[in-house]
Amino acid sequence: MLTTRSSSARMLRASRAELNPGVKEVKRESSVSFDLSKPEAVASVQRKNVKRVLEVTEENLKKEDGIVPDIEDFRYGKASPSLIRLEKKVRVSSVIKVGAPENWEAILKGIKNMRLSGEAPVDTKGCEKAGSLLPPKERRFAVLISTMMSSQTKDEVTHAAVERLSEKGLLDPDAIVRTDEATLANLIKPVGFYQRKAKFIKEASKICLERFGGDIPDSLNELLALKGVGPKMAHLVMSIAWKNTQGICVDTHVHRISNRLGWVFREGTKQKTTTPEQTRISLEKWLPKDEWEPINPLLVGFGQTICTPLRPKCDMCGINNICPSAFKESSSPNPKQKKIRSS
């Protein structure tokens, strides 16, 4: 009896199309039929693989207009920022728990002790300080705007831009919508990508008015639907504005320091993570959930003052006796003499 596998092939093609709408499938099929009543023919069919060529369409390679690259995209990722986040949905990390890194509790305690002074820029000028004296609804909008301006921008510059908007009465979605884009851009300058951010802020303000009654979205996916808002920003807004921490906010400091401490690895390997999103997923597999919200300002401030991107101040660090990267990036002439003795 002669049969074919046309029905199953059609089902496979359909499922492929649903899962990958931006991918074109080119199939080469054989017109040969087999007598499946013979055992050797069945074995031959099982060994046959229908060859398929997946062609990436040009649409997938075009730069997505709604993405403002974060500083970590340039510093750590070799791929184009537009390809890193073509999908605007945050990948939910696995619930499978892995073993926590050695000495992580002692390291975390040491960092907390070093951060008690509260002298880092993030402590006084971070996004969570935006609109701190405003009513809840207005403050949430201020936090969103501050966060949207924060990528590729130091805390001090972002804070100053928020202050200028506040002085002009522009920490309000209706007022922003009625302000022309050029005026808005000049007010937030010199934040990174200020012209594009002005455009995105106006668009987000309009959406907040039309869909949320002047408030901001209260879910990750709705925040990510706003142009100019990436995973890091969405998690930060959820934590600060809505007090609903659904994941760890990983910026350039959290990404860098987590790798220096040996806290994160690419899935299934012992290699360092290469993107903030990989770092987030790796951290969430072992870090207790009650540390998810405070870990961002904690490590950001630590990275701004001691564990800096270039020439980290290992000689001033209170955990240089247990940090696996201590003095490896430092120019200290006598690192062994400067290490803090274990107590």
Side-chain angles (χ1 to χ4, degrees):
M1 178 178 63
L2 299 178
T3 62
T4 65
R5 294 192 175 185
S6 60
S7 61
S8 61
R10 283 194 298 270
M11 292 174 63
L12 181 58
R13 289 198 300 273
S15 62
R16 277 281 184 97
E18 291 172 1
L19 291 173
N20 301 281
V23 175
K24 179 182 178 182
E25 184 180 82
V26 180
K27 185 186 69 174
R28 304 188 188 99
E29 290 183 315
S30 172
S31 59
V32 179
S33 59
F34 303 93
D35 186 350
L36 299 182
S37 63
K38 296 180 180 181
E40 60 270 21
V42 174
S44 176
V45 171
Q46 290 176 343
R47 287 194 300 269
K48 291 286 184 180
N49 288 321
V50 178
K51 295 182 180 179
R52 290 177 173 85
V53 179
L54 298 178
E55 297 178 344
V56 179
T57 61
E58 291 183 1
E59 286 77 13
N60 276 358
L61 295 178
K62 291 180 180 178
K63 184 175 181 66
E64 184 176 331
D65 181 58
I67 293 176
V68 173
D70 284 332
I71 189 169
E72 54 265 26
D73 293 335
F74 293 100
R75 186 168 293 169
Y76 297 101
K78 295 182 179 179
S80 164
S82 61
L83 296 180
I84 291 173
R85 297 203 305 270
L86 274 174
E87 288 191 21
K88 294 281 289 191
K89 287 189 177 182
V90 174
R91 190 156 62 103
V92 179
S93 60
S94 171
V95 295
I96 299 174
K97 293 295 180 181
V98 299
E102 185 179 4
N103 293 328
W104 77 269
E105 290 176 299
I107 288 173
L108 190 63
K109 182 179 179 180
I111 295 174
K112 287 179 178 179
N113 287 336
M114 285 184 278
R115 292 280 289 111
L116 289 175
S117 65
E119 295 177 348
V122 70
D123 297 323
T124 56
K125 299 179 180 179
C127 292
E128 62 272 18
K129 303 302 179 182
S132 56
L133 300 179
L134 296 174
K137 181 178 176 180
E138 287 76 7
R139 180 175 184 260
R140 287 193 290 268
F141 183 76
V143 168
L144 174 63
I145 299 306
S146 175
T147 305
M148 292 180 71
M149 292 192 294
S150 68
S151 65
Q152 276 284 282
T153 308
K154 292 183 177 181
D155 285 332
E156 302 94 315
V157 177
T158 301
H159 182 75
V162 171
E163 290 294 300
R164 289 193 295 275
L165 291 177
S166 179
E167 290 169 2
K168 297 291 183 179
L170 292 176
L171 286 182
D172 173 82
D174 183 60
I176 287 179
V177 168
R178 288 186 282 104
T179 302
D180 67 272
E181 196 173 301
T183 299
L184 187 61
N186 285 330
L187 280 171
I188 67 174
K189 185 181 178 180
V191 301
F193 301 95
Y194 64 92
Q195 291 176 317
R196 293 186 69 195
K197 288 177 181 178
K199 176 184 177 182
F200 295 154
I201 287 171
K202 276 184 68 71
E203 291 179 2
S205 298
K206 184 178 180 181
I207 291 172
C208 287
L209 282 173
E210 294 177 351
R211 294 183 53 195
F212 302 97
D215 210 333
I216 68 172
D218 61 357
S219 73
L220 280 175
N221 286 337
E222 286 176 321
L223 284 167
L224 287 165
L226 301 175
K227 288 185 178 181
V229 175
K232 178 197 79 173
M233 301 179 199
H235 280 295
L236 189 62
V237 171
M238 288 298 295
S239 291
I240 298 173
W242 293 109
K243 303 299 180 184
N244 182 5
T245 302
Q246 297 185 20
I248 298 172
C249 173
V250 177
D251 73 342
T252 180
H253 297 290
V254 178
H255 178 63
R256 177 184 71 255
I257 295 169
S258 294
N259 274 287
R260 282 179 177 171
L261 294 174
W263 279 5
V264 291
F265 300 98
R266 275 183 274 174
E267 195 167 355
T269 74
K270 282 295 182 181
Q271 297 177 327
K272 291 182 177 182
T273 58
T274 56
T275 67
E277 192 64 356
Q278 290 176 357
T279 296
R280 180 185 70 82
I281 292 168
S282 185
L283 273 177
E284 289 177 4
K285 287 182 177 179
W286 63 266
L287 188 68
K289 199 164 185 178
D290 59 356
E291 298 288 355
W292 286 14
E293 181 181 355
I295 197 69
N296 176 269
L298 182 75
L299 294 188
V300 168
F302 183 51
Q304 290 174 336
T305 55
I306 296 177
C307 198
T308 50
L310 299 175
R311 294 181 293 279
K313 302 176 179 65
C314 296
D315 56 329
M316 297 172 54
C317 182
I319 57 169
N320 65 19
N321 60 315
I322 52 177
C323 173
S325 299
F327 298 101
K328 291 183 179 179
E329 298 179 45
S330 173
S331 57
S332 171
N334 298 305
K336 289 185 179 179
Q337 294 179 9
K338 291 193 175 186
K339 278 201 174 185
I340 296 175
R341 295 179 181 178
S342 301
S343 54

